[in-house]
């Protein structure tokens, strides 16, 4: 059977979302696979953030799979990649990976990665064919939001006027550049606000951004109902990184309390040992665990001196 892999269209989204839930729910053995991911929405969110990185697989006019690519400057990752269960083990996933690799090359990505099931030799083996190497575990943790606190020196990007926000994005780029050359969250920062996915928390020191976090909030985002999800957060590397990271964690929880949600969720690669220890000390408990795979087989910004949150799901 011939498979056509093409750019995803807006009219694919409903079926792509159905296949995503069915595929992951089936793999995980859920009694009702369609309940996978609840009221989170990865498919439409990833489409909004970057439709040029969304690809669909079609057989005989029917959608059978999809994949989404996100590029943060020199760093890129892909996921979720999902294939309809009745088309598993027929090469569809490999065909979907071809435009992913082409997209990385066209975007100038120098460090690529993904999050997958650590226990699945099939998944790890598939991505290994494309030069990805399994490295440290990545955990996604959650904790109840505490009572509202007064965290110093932070602001929501949504309240800034145009010039102030543009300057904040420049300063966020300066922060991310200390983690990894060319790492740039600019598009993700802007899309979070433009599409009403949540907000960006900015921590300042002596007037300049020293740490920031992209936070999704509520159903229809990558967070889900009653949840604040830190999709990415980081403090600038340096002598005060640990201090600024602690303030950032305070600020994220203060933000979550301010918007009235009950749970905060954040992911961290365990190679960032100090950052992961900070989450554990605050009461985050692991709810999801997987392995990060890198291409090339180098640390990137998953190092012990990096204070950053993300999970590449």
């Amino acid at each position: 059977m011939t498979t056509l892999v093409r750019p995803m269209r807006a009219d694919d989204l409903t079926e792509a979302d159905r296949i995503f839930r069915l595929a992951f729910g089936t793999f995980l053995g859920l009694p009702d696979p369609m309940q996978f991911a609840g009221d989170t929405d990865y498919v439409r969110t990833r489409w909004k953030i970057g439709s040029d990185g969304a690809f669909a697989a079609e057989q005989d006019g029917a959608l059978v799979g999809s994949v989404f690519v996100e590029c943060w400057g020199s760093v890129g990752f892909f996921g979720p990649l999902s294939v309809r269960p009745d088309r598993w083990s027929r090469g569809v996933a490999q065909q979907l990976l071809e435009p992913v690799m082409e997209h990385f090359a066209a975007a100038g990505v120098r460090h690529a990665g993904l999050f997958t099931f650590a226990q699945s030799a099939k998944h790890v083996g598939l991505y290994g064919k494309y030069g990805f190497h399994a490295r440290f575990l990545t955990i996604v943790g959650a904790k109840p939001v505490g009572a509202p606190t007064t965290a110093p020196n932070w602001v929501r990007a949504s309240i800034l006027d145009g010039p102030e926000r543009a300057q904040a994005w420049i300063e966020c780029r300066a922060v991310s550049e200390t983690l990894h050359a060319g790492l740039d969250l600019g598009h993700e920062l802007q899309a979070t606000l433009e599409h009403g996915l949540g907000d960006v928390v900015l921590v300042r020191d002596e007037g300049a951004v020293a740490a920031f976090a992209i936070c999704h909030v509520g159903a229809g985002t990558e967070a889900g109902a009653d949840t604040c999800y830190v999709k990415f957060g980081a403090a600038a590397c340096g002598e005060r990184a640990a201090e600024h990271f602690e303030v950032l964690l305070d600020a994220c929880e203060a933000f979550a309390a301010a918007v009235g949600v009950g749970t905060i969720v954040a992911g961290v690669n365990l190679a960032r040992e100090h950052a992961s220890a900070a989450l554990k000390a605050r009461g985050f408990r692991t709810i999801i665990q997987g392995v990060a795979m890198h291409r090339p087989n180098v640390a990137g910004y998953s190092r012990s001196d990096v204070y950053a949150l993300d999970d590449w799901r």
Side-chain angles (χ1 to χ4, degrees):
M1 184 177 295
T2 302
T3 302
L4 169 67
V5 176
R6 56 169 175 76
M8 185 173 286
R9 304 186 300 257
D11 61 359
D12 293 321
L13 295 176
T14 297
E15 180 63 4
D17 180 75
R18 188 190 74 83
I19 292 172
F20 158 68
R21 296 175 191 276
L22 178 63
F24 279 86
T26 299
F27 177 81
L28 294 172
L30 300 185
D32 180 0
M34 292 304 297
Q35 295 304 307
F36 176 77
D39 56 11
T40 60
D41 194 332
Y42 286 90
V43 168
R44 292 174 182 83
T45 295
R46 297 284 165 92
W47 167 264
K48 290 174 182 176
I49 291 171
S51 59
D52 63 329
F55 302 98
E58 182 182 298
Q59 292 179 346
D60 295 333
L63 201 71
V64 295
S66 66
V67 66
F68 298 84
V69 187
E70 292 204 50
C71 295
W72 294 343
S74 64
V75 174
F77 66 97
F78 67 89
L81 188 158
S82 53
V83 175
R84 213 170 70 190
D86 65 342
R87 294 295 187 271
W88 286 356
S89 301
R90 300 188 186 185
V92 177
Q94 293 188 58
Q95 290 171 287
L96 280 166
L97 284 169
E98 296 301 332
V100 171
M101 302 306 128
E102 293 170 4
H103 192 81
F104 283 154
V109 167
R110 298 192 297 276
H111 187 76
L114 63 109
F115 174 103
T116 193
F117 301 103
Q119 77 278 19
S120 175
K122 181 177 180 179
H123 287 84
V124 172
L126 168 63
Y127 302 130
K129 293 177 181 178
Y130 291 82
F132 291 90
H133 297 261
R135 292 183 65 91
F136 280 79
L137 293 178
T138 293
I139 61 169
V140 180
K143 72 177 291 288
V145 175
T149 59
T150 303
N153 303 324
W154 75 277
V155 66
R156 295 166 64 162
S158 61
I159 72 168
L160 303 179
D161 63 26
E164 289 178 314
R165 192 180 298 172
Q167 180 60 33
W169 293 168
I170 292 172
E171 293 171 6
C172 288
R173 169 65 186 268
V175 169
S176 62
E177 188 77 29
T178 70
L179 278 62
H180 185 85
L183 177 61
D184 183 3
L185 279 291
H187 180 70
E188 189 95 29
L189 294 165
Q190 191 65 26
T192 299
L193 299 187
E194 284 183 357
H195 298 292
L197 302 174
D199 214 324
V200 179
V201 172
L202 304 170
V203 170
R204 289 173 167 159
D205 188 4
E206 297 182 355
V209 174
F212 70 95
I214 298 168
C215 299
H216 285 210
V217 178
T221 73
E222 295 178 33
D226 196 37
T227 301
C228 170
Y229 167 53
V230 183
K231 183 169 183 179
F232 181 92
C237 291
E239 292 182 358
R240 300 184 65 192
E243 174 190 347
H244 291 145
F245 187 69
E246 291 290 349
V247 176
L248 181 65
L249 295 178
D250 285 340
C252 288
E253 189 155 3
F255 166 71
V259 297
V261 299
T263 302
I264 184 168
V265 172
V268 64
N269 188 280
L270 293 183
R272 305 172 201 150
E273 56 185 299
H274 302 303
S276 60
L279 287 190
K280 183 177 180 180
R282 286 172 176 260
F284 281 83
R285 296 293 177 260
T286 301
I287 55 174
I288 301 171
Q289 179 172 289
V291 65
M293 299 189 69
H294 293 198
R295 191 185 79 168
N297 189 17
V298 295
Y301 62 96
S302 288
R303 312 183 307 269
S304 62
D305 65 310
V306 170
Y307 288 81
L309 303 171
D310 67 4
D311 56 60
W312 288 354
R313 280 182 295 162

mmCIF file of all heavy atoms in Angstrom, residues 20 35 55 83 113 152 165 170-171 173 183 187 228 238 247 297:
data_model
loop_
_atom_site.group_PDB
_atom_site.id
_atom_site.type_symbol
_atom_site.label_atom_id
_atom_site.label_comp_id
_atom_site.label_asym_id
_atom_site.label_seq_id
_atom_site.Cartn_x
_atom_site.Cartn_y
_atom_site.Cartn_z
ATOM 1 N N PHE A 20 -3.741 10.146 17.365
ATOM 2 C CA PHE A 20 -2.770 10.363 18.434
ATOM 3 C C PHE A 20 -3.231 9.706 19.731
ATOM 4 O O PHE A 20 -2.487 8.958 20.372
ATOM 5 C CB PHE A 20 -2.574 11.874 18.620
ATOM 6 C CG PHE A 20 -2.049 12.282 19.965
ATOM 7 C CD1 PHE A 20 -0.758 11.965 20.362
ATOM 8 C CD2 PHE A 20 -2.857 13.001 20.840
ATOM 9 C CE1 PHE A 20 -0.282 12.356 21.611
ATOM 10 C CE2 PHE A 20 -2.384 13.398 22.085
ATOM 11 C CZ PHE A 20 -1.095 13.068 22.478
ATOM 12 N N GLN A 35 -9.154 7.880 25.913
ATOM 13 C CA GLN A 35 -9.045 8.748 27.082
ATOM 14 C C GLN A 35 -7.617 9.237 27.307
ATOM 15 O O GLN A 35 -7.376 10.050 28.202
ATOM 16 C CB GLN A 35 -9.543 8.012 28.334
ATOM 17 C CG GLN A 35 -11.015 7.662 28.297
ATOM 18 C CD GLN A 35 -11.886 8.885 28.076
ATOM 19 O OE1 GLN A 35 -11.786 9.874 28.800
ATOM 20 N NE2 GLN A 35 -12.738 8.819 27.077
ATOM 21 N N PHE A 55 3.363 17.230 9.734
ATOM 22 C CA PHE A 55 3.294 16.354 8.564
ATOM 23 C C PHE A 55 2.297 15.227 8.797
ATOM 24 O O PHE A 55 2.175 14.706 9.918
ATOM 25 C CB PHE A 55 4.674 15.790 8.249
ATOM 26 C CG PHE A 55 5.697 16.858 8.006
ATOM 27 C CD1 PHE A 55 6.562 17.255 9.029
ATOM 28 C CD2 PHE A 55 5.783 17.498 6.782
ATOM 29 C CE1 PHE A 55 7.489 18.258 8.822
ATOM 30 C CE2 PHE A 55 6.719 18.510 6.574
ATOM 31 C CZ PHE A 55 7.567 18.893 7.602
ATOM 32 N N VAL A 83 0.925 6.738 14.791
ATOM 33 C CA VAL A 83 0.440 5.975 13.645
ATOM 34 C C VAL A 83 -0.761 5.159 14.084
ATOM 35 O O VAL A 83 -0.770 4.602 15.192
ATOM 36 C CB VAL A 83 1.547 5.033 13.105
ATOM 37 C CG1 VAL A 83 1.014 4.150 11.977
ATOM 38 C CG2 VAL A 83 2.749 5.845 12.638
ATOM 39 N N GLY A 113 16.579 16.270 18.990
ATOM 40 C CA GLY A 113 16.246 15.306 20.026
ATOM 41 C C GLY A 113 14.796 14.902 20.023
ATOM 42 O O GLY A 113 13.987 15.364 19.215
ATOM 43 N N PRO A 152 9.606 37.743 44.381
ATOM 44 C CA PRO A 152 10.145 39.037 43.949
ATOM 45 C C PRO A 152 10.616 39.040 42.505
ATOM 46 O O PRO A 152 10.937 38.005 41.933
ATOM 47 C CB PRO A 152 11.337 39.227 44.895
ATOM 48 C CG PRO A 152 11.809 37.824 45.173
ATOM 49 C CD PRO A 152 10.549 36.989 45.213
ATOM 50 N N ARG A 165 8.007 44.250 25.554
ATOM 51 C CA ARG A 165 7.980 42.814 25.272
ATOM 52 C C ARG A 165 9.066 42.448 24.275
ATOM 53 O O ARG A 165 9.750 41.424 24.427
ATOM 54 C CB ARG A 165 6.610 42.399 24.740
ATOM 55 C CG ARG A 165 6.399 40.904 24.706
ATOM 56 C CD ARG A 165 5.025 40.547 24.172
ATOM 57 N NE ARG A 165 3.954 41.071 25.016
ATOM 58 C CZ ARG A 165 2.668 41.029 24.701
ATOM 59 N NH1 ARG A 165 2.284 40.493 23.555
ATOM 60 N NH2 ARG A 165 1.760 41.521 25.523
ATOM 61 N N ILE A 170 14.464 39.721 23.483
ATOM 62 C CA ILE A 170 15.901 39.797 23.230
ATOM 63 C C ILE A 170 16.677 39.288 24.444
ATOM 64 O O ILE A 170 17.659 38.531 24.320
ATOM 65 C CB ILE A 170 16.308 41.246 22.898
ATOM 66 C CG1 ILE A 170 15.709 41.663 21.543
ATOM 67 C CG2 ILE A 170 17.827 41.396 22.885
ATOM 68 C CD1 ILE A 170 15.880 43.138 21.220
ATOM 69 N N GLU A 171 16.215 39.685 25.628
ATOM 70 C CA GLU A 171 16.898 39.267 26.853
ATOM 71 C C GLU A 171 16.697 37.776 27.122
ATOM 72 O O GLU A 171 17.611 37.108 27.643
ATOM 73 C CB GLU A 171 16.412 40.119 28.022
ATOM 74 C CG GLU A 171 16.840 41.578 27.883
ATOM 75 C CD GLU A 171 16.193 42.501 28.906
ATOM 76 O OE1 GLU A 171 15.486 42.000 29.816
ATOM 77 O OE2 GLU A 171 16.385 43.729 28.801
ATOM 78 N N ARG A 173 16.493 35.561 24.764
ATOM 79 C CA ARG A 173 17.443 34.941 23.836
ATOM 80 C C ARG A 173 18.848 34.943 24.443
ATOM 81 O O ARG A 173 19.594 33.957 24.328
ATOM 82 C CB ARG A 173 17.442 35.672 22.494
ATOM 83 C CG ARG A 173 18.577 35.283 21.534
ATOM 84 C CD ARG A 173 18.464 33.831 21.068
ATOM 85 N NE ARG A 173 19.614 33.431 20.277
ATOM 86 C CZ ARG A 173 19.690 33.521 18.942
ATOM 87 N NH1 ARG A 173 18.677 34.038 18.257
ATOM 88 N NH2 ARG A 173 20.756 33.121 18.302
ATOM 89 N N LEU A 183 20.401 28.457 20.813
ATOM 90 C CA LEU A 183 19.094 28.093 21.366
ATOM 91 C C LEU A 183 18.240 29.353 21.464
ATOM 92 O O LEU A 183 18.620 30.326 22.114
ATOM 93 C CB LEU A 183 19.260 27.456 22.748
ATOM 94 C CG LEU A 183 17.981 27.076 23.513
ATOM 95 C CD1 LEU A 183 17.164 26.038 22.742
ATOM 96 C CD2 LEU A 183 18.332 26.560 24.905
ATOM 97 N N HIS A 187 10.140 32.212 18.863
ATOM 98 C CA HIS A 187 8.863 31.885 18.216
ATOM 99 C C HIS A 187 7.889 31.280 19.218
ATOM 100 O O HIS A 187 6.698 31.604 19.216
ATOM 101 C CB HIS A 187 9.096 30.923 17.053
ATOM 102 C CG HIS A 187 7.845 30.544 16.332
ATOM 103 N ND1 HIS A 187 7.135 31.428 15.549
ATOM 104 C CD2 HIS A 187 7.141 29.376 16.302
ATOM 105 C CE1 HIS A 187 6.063 30.820 15.061
ATOM 106 N NE2 HIS A 187 6.046 29.578 15.504
ATOM 107 N N CYS A 228 -1.014 24.191 35.361
ATOM 108 C CA CYS A 228 0.001 25.037 34.731
ATOM 109 C C CYS A 228 1.167 24.143 34.358
ATOM 110 O O CYS A 228 1.722 23.457 35.218
ATOM 111 C CB CYS A 228 0.450 26.141 35.690
ATOM 112 S SG CYS A 228 1.905 27.068 35.122
ATOM 113 N N GLY A 238 25.773 30.577 34.957
ATOM 114 C CA GLY A 238 26.705 31.468 35.622
ATOM 115 C C GLY A 238 26.666 31.294 37.121
ATOM 116 O O GLY A 238 25.991 30.390 37.641
ATOM 117 N N VAL A 247 14.254 31.415 42.180
ATOM 118 C CA VAL A 247 13.283 32.506 42.041
ATOM 119 C C VAL A 247 12.302 32.195 40.917
ATOM 120 O O VAL A 247 11.102 32.456 41.026
ATOM 121 C CB VAL A 247 13.998 33.851 41.794
ATOM 122 C CG1 VAL A 247 12.969 34.965 41.553
ATOM 123 C CG2 VAL A 247 14.885 34.210 42.970
ATOM 124 N N ASN A 297 25.396 12.530 19.391
ATOM 125 C CA ASN A 297 25.437 11.938 20.720
ATOM 126 C C ASN A 297 26.298 12.776 21.668
ATOM 127 O O ASN A 297 27.361 12.363 22.123
ATOM 128 C CB ASN A 297 25.979 10.509 20.623
ATOM 129 C CG ASN A 297 25.841 9.747 21.932
ATOM 130 O OD1 ASN A 297 25.082 10.137 22.815
ATOM 131 N ND2 ASN A 297 26.575 8.653 22.057
#
